[in-house]
Amino acid sequence: MNIICIEDLNFRYNDKIIFKNLNLTIKKNKITTIIGANGSGKSILASMLIGEIPTFDKIKYNDTILNKNSKKINKEILLVNNYKFSKISVLDEFLSICPKDELELELSKLNKYLDLSNIMNLNLDQLNDSSKTLVMIALTLLKKPKVIIIDSILENLDGDKKNKVFKLLLKISSNTTIINITYNIEDALIKSDIKILGNSTILLSGGREKIFRSEKLLNNIGFKLPFIIELCNRLKFYDLIDKNIYCMDKLVNTLWK
């Protein structure tokens, strides 16, 4: 079931064509990864999906035209990096969203993945970029939206923290729609519905296997295959494995056997 549908969207900015006949569907309660190079319109698309940029009735959310129902939709579709950081503490910011008796339980679930315990008493404006990203994710989840949009902020995290965030997103995607908009082709390693944005439209759509078979198309818009996929391709050539493996630990274990 699709929760968001974009049909034949055209958009210009300063006489530059950003989108031309853009068609895009987002599946409900799944992770969708939208990958595009810098300048491909990723952040503009994110702003359109939360109603900040007019879309001329070309986007539907649950079969309702986005522009005509923006107030309701603004509570249900949230952009993770849409926060202003003030001088209040992380804990006080959380309490402004979630009652104290509920917050402890919610944080016990989130801390397994986000590990916020050491920064709860720090002021928001004292946080480094990595901690700000984790706090923004937590703040968004506490609001319990139906659709979460992440726009190119996961690159603030190191590999271990980013992997934990992806595990969290995979866990909550059974009842929350996740849209990860990014310039990092590595994000396509996470099991999701992948859309490749380029030349003002969606050039390719599908799962990981389909995307990584399209090396020529990816190269044409400035992307290289992730290292682990290049390695898998070589190993398949020598009949050492018979399919792509998307986790390095699993690949090593497979070869070791």
Side-chain angles (χ1 to χ4, degrees), residues 4 61 75 91 111 146 167 184 219 236:
I4 294 174
Y61 168 71
K75 295 180 180 180
L91 177 59
N111 271 330
K146 294 184 178 179
K167 287 179 181 178
N184 192 342
N219 290 342
K236 285 187 290 184

Side-chain angles (χ1 to χ4, degrees), residues 210-238:
K210 179 179 178 180
I211 298 301
F212 292 135
R213 284 198 303 267
S214 305
E215 183 176 5
K216 184 176 180 180
L217 183 148
L218 294 174
N219 290 342
N220 285 341
I221 57 173
F223 291 110
K224 289 185 176 181
L225 292 179
F227 170 75
I228 193 171
I229 300 302
E230 291 185 333
L231 181 56
C232 285
N233 288 341
R234 290 175 180 265
L235 293 171
K236 285 187 290 184
F237 179 80
Y238 290 105

Side-chain angles (χ1 to χ4, degrees), residues 1-6 23-34 49 60-62 77 146-149 169 172-180 191-195 205-208 210:
M1 177 181 178
N2 295 325
I3 191 170
I4 294 174
C5 292
I6 301 177
N23 291 280
L24 172 66
T25 55
I26 304 296
K27 295 177 182 177
K28 185 176 182 179
N29 295 345
K30 302 287 183 182
I31 297 179
T32 297
T33 304
I34 301 175
L49 291 173
K60 288 184 179 180
Y61 168 71
N62 279 333
I77 305 177
K146 294 184 178 179
V147 180
I148 294 173
I149 302 171
L169 297 179
I172 68 172
S173 63
S174 59
N175 54 25
T176 307
T177 303
I178 311 292
I179 305 173
N180 179 29
K191 188 175 182 180
S192 62
D193 183 27
I194 303 162
K195 316 286 185 181
S205 181
R208 297 178 291 189
K210 179 179 178 180

Side-chain angles (χ1 to χ4, degrees), residues 154-189:
L154 296 184
E155 299 314 304
N156 293 329
L157 306 176
D158 63 32
D160 182 56
K161 288 179 181 177
K162 189 173 182 181
N163 287 336
K164 287 183 178 180
V165 168
F166 276 127
K167 287 179 181 178
L168 174 60
L169 297 179
L170 287 166
K171 181 179 177 61
I172 68 172
S173 63
S174 59
N175 54 25
T176 307
T177 303
I178 311 292
I179 305 173
N180 179 29
I181 301 175
T182 178
Y183 58 82
N184 192 342
I185 192 67
E186 299 275 343
D187 286 10
L189 294 170

Side-chain angles (χ1 to χ4, degrees), residues 35-93:
I35 301 173
N38 291 331
S40 60
K42 300 187 304 299
S43 292
I44 289 174
L45 179 61
S47 295
M48 287 178 165
L49 291 173
I50 60 172
E52 287 188 349
I53 295 178
T55 54
F56 315 107
D57 301 343
K58 294 295 185 178
I59 301 180
K60 288 184 179 180
Y61 168 71
N62 279 333
D63 295 324
T64 300
I65 294 172
L66 188 78
N67 294 345
K68 294 184 178 179
N69 199 25
S70 58
K71 287 186 178 180
K72 178 184 176 183
I73 289 171
N74 283 345
K75 295 180 180 180
E76 298 184 2
I77 305 177
L78 294 183
L79 179 64
V80 169
N81 45 328
N82 211 18
Y83 289 94
K84 294 181 179 179
F85 284 86
S86 60
K87 293 183 179 297
I88 68 171
S89 71
V90 173
L91 177 59
D92 287 340
E93 184 72 8

